[in-house]
Amino acid sequence: MDIVLEIVDTLALDRIYSAVLPASPSSYLSQKFNNLTTSTFSSVRDGAVATPQYTYIYEPASKFISLNPTQWAYSSSLPRDNVYRQAISLFLVVWVFGLLLYFICATLSYVFIFDKTTVNHPKYLKNQVRLEIAQANKAMPGMAILTAACMLAEVRGYSKLYDVAEDAPFSLYNWLQFPFFILFTDFLIYWIHRGLHHPRVYKTLHKPHHKWIMPTPYASHAFHPLDGFAQSIPYHLFPFMFPLQKFAYIALFAFINIWTIFIHDGEYYANSALINGAACHTMHHLFFSCNYGQFTTLWDRLGGSYRKPNDELFKRETKMGKKEWERQTKEMEKIQLEVEGADDRSYAASEDVKKSQ
C-alpha cells in the first residue's frame, strides 16, 4: 500500500496537507536541503551543543515505479512518513477508492449483468437497491478505519511484503503466492463467516447483510461495518504471515472487492463443483446455513455445509419461473423463521398485492 500512498501523495495529498498544515519556512528549507544531501538530520548549533532535527527523506516505495516529490512534499508540518498523516491518508484512500470501486463495478454489473427479472421475485425487497446502497455507505467509513489500521502496520514495515521477484523465498513462489493466497483466505473466511451465523452474533452483526434474500450487486458491500471487516481479516493477515509481492497485494485487494460484487450479481455462469459463484452464494442468501465460502466450495464440502445450486438456476426458462420461486420461498420462510424469528422485511411483491386490492 506504500506504492498507492506515494502516488496519491504526489498527485493530491502533498498539496492538501501543505495547505491545511503548512511547514515553517525554516523547516521547509531544512527538508529540501536534507533531501538534496541525503542526510537524515540537520544540526542547529547553540554554542557547542548540536541538536538533531528530524526531516523527511524521500525513498521510492518500489523499484518499478517512483514519482519524484514536488515542492509540496516538503511544505507541510506533517511529513509523508508521519504516522498520524499516514493513518489519515490511508483511511481516505481506502474510503474514497472503496466507494469508487463499489459504485463503478456494482453499477456496471447491475446494468450489464444483473438479471432484472429478479426484481419480480417474491423475496425482493421494496426499494431494495436504495436500501443496499444506503447500508453500504453507512458501513464503508467504519470498514475503512479498521482496514487503514491494518494497512498502516504494513506501510510501517511490519509485514512480509516484498518488491522485486528476487526477494521471494524461491522463484516459483512469485506464481504460487496467488493460489496460496486464495486457499488461505478462503479457509479463514469460511470459518469466520460460519461463526457470524452463530445465534449470539448473527442478529447483531450479520443479519444486516442477510436482509437481502435476493441480492443485487449493490448488496456486495452492504454489511454491518464489523461484519464486513471481520470477513476481510484473512486478506490483511496473509502479508503479515507470508511473503507477498507489493503489486500482487494491490491487485488481489482489487480482485477481492470485484469478486464480492460478482457473487451478488444474480447471473449464474459458474455451474461448477469447485467455484463458489453467484449461484452458490444465492443459495446462501436464500437458505442461510450453507455455502459459507468466498471463492471455492472446498471448505463447505469438507465442513458439511455445501449445497449444490439447483439445475433450474442455470436454465433461463426455469431460473425465474413461478414454480422455482414458490419452492424457494416455501423453504426459505421455514428456515428464516428458525434463524431470525418474525420477518421484519418489507417485500415489493407484498406491496404490489396491497395496492391492487
Side-chain angles (χ1 to χ4, degrees):
M1 206 62 186
D2 54 351
I3 297 172
V4 174
L5 207 53
E6 179 179 319
I7 294 171
V8 175
D9 273 333
T10 304
L11 297 180
L13 293 182
D14 283 340
R15 185 181 289 263
I16 293 172
Y17 280 110
S18 65
V20 176
L21 296 167
S24 64
S26 60
S27 176
Y28 170 77
L29 292 173
S30 174
Q31 291 194 66
K32 286 289 287 182
F33 174 77
N34 276 276
N35 271 272
L36 289 173
T37 60
T38 67
S39 171
T40 58
F41 292 95
S42 63
S43 296
V44 180
R45 293 193 172 275
D46 182 12
V49 179
T51 305
Q53 179 179 326
Y54 173 78
T55 55
Y56 164 70
I57 303 297
Y58 168 68
E59 295 181 8
S62 172
K63 292 181 180 179
F64 299 108
I65 182 172
S66 61
L67 299 174
N68 290 327
T70 65
Q71 61 175 333
W72 306 108
Y74 313 107
S75 301
S76 173
S77 58
L78 278 183
R80 283 186 179 183
D81 56 356
N82 178 278
V83 65
Y84 300 109
R85 169 171 166 167
Q86 287 176 333
I88 294 168
S89 298
L90 286 168
F91 164 69
L92 293 173
V93 167
V94 172
W95 186 18
V96 172
F97 281 87
L99 283 172
L100 289 173
L101 188 68
Y102 169 70
F103 278 108
I104 292 171
C105 294
T107 300
L108 288 173
S109 178
Y110 184 83
V111 172
F112 295 108
I113 300 176
F114 178 65
D115 189 339
K116 306 301 187 298
T117 56
T118 302
V119 303
N120 298 316
H121 194 283
K123 294 303 175 181
Y124 187 83
L125 302 189
K126 180 184 178 183
N127 300 319
Q128 181 167 311
V129 167
R130 181 175 62 81
L131 292 171
E132 288 170 338
I133 293 173
Q135 180 63 43
N137 276 277
K138 276 174 55 179
M140 282 192 182
M143 289 193 290
I145 290 173
L146 296 169
T147 300
C150 297
M151 290 181 170
L152 180 64
E154 171 258 305
V155 167
R156 302 295 292 183
Y158 294 101
S159 73
K160 297 179 182 291
L161 290 174
Y162 65 92
D163 188 30
V164 295
E166 292 75 19
D167 293 335
F170 50 92
S171 59
L172 191 59
Y173 186 84
N174 288 296
W175 298 102
L176 291 178
Q177 63 183 320
F178 295 100
F180 183 30
F181 178 90
I182 295 298
L183 287 171
F184 174 84
T185 56
D186 199 39
F187 171 72
L188 290 185
I189 289 171
Y190 170 80
W191 288 109
I192 291 170
H193 191 179
R194 190 163 184 167
L196 286 163
H197 277 261
H198 190 281
R200 291 186 178 181
V201 296
Y202 173 80
K203 289 185 179 181
T204 302
L205 294 185
H206 198 49
K207 186 180 176 181
H209 186 61
H210 270 273
K211 184 174 184 176
W212 335 111
I213 303 298
M214 293 299 294
T216 80
Y218 292 108
S220 59
H221 292 69
F223 290 95
H224 184 290
L226 290 179
D227 178 9
F229 175 73
Q231 295 192 59
S232 74
I233 288 173
Y235 310 136
H236 306 303
L237 187 62
F238 186 93
F240 291 96
M241 295 182 65
F242 309 103
L244 185 64
Q245 203 277 331
K246 288 184 176 183
F247 285 98
Y249 173 75
I250 296 169
L252 286 167
F253 187 75
F255 166 73
I256 289 157
N257 282 275
I258 294 170
W259 181 269
T260 303
I261 293 169
F262 167 73
I263 62 175
H264 291 88
D265 67 14
E267 192 59 60
Y268 310 139
Y269 293 119
N271 187 6
S272 167
L274 178 62
I275 299 173
N276 182 66
C280 278
H281 198 65
T282 294
M283 292 293 99
H284 177 73
H285 275 264
L286 272 167
F287 306 124
F288 296 85
S289 57
C290 61
N291 300 352
Y292 297 106
Q294 179 80 348
F295 302 113
T296 76
T297 64
L298 174 61
W299 309 115
D300 279 294
R301 290 176 180 279
L302 293 174
S305 55
Y306 175 65
R307 175 164 178 159
K308 184 180 183 296
N310 299 344
D311 291 336
E312 288 83 358
L313 296 180
F314 299 97
K315 301 173 185 176
R316 188 159 292 278
E317 62 273 16
T318 57
K319 171 186 173 184
M320 290 297 180
K322 184 178 180 181
K323 184 177 179 180
E324 178 67 13
W325 284 357
E326 289 176 348
R327 186 197 63 75
Q328 291 174 358
T329 300
K330 184 178 180 180
E331 184 177 358
M332 171 264 160
E333 287 177 345
K334 181 181 178 181
I335 298 172
Q336 181 270 323
L337 185 62
E338 294 173 354
V339 173
E340 297 181 346
D343 193 352
D344 57 0
R345 298 170 181 82
S346 179
Y347 299 103
S350 300
E351 292 296 316
D352 291 338
V353 170
K354 290 179 182 178
K355 289 178 182 178
S356 63
Q357 291 175 344

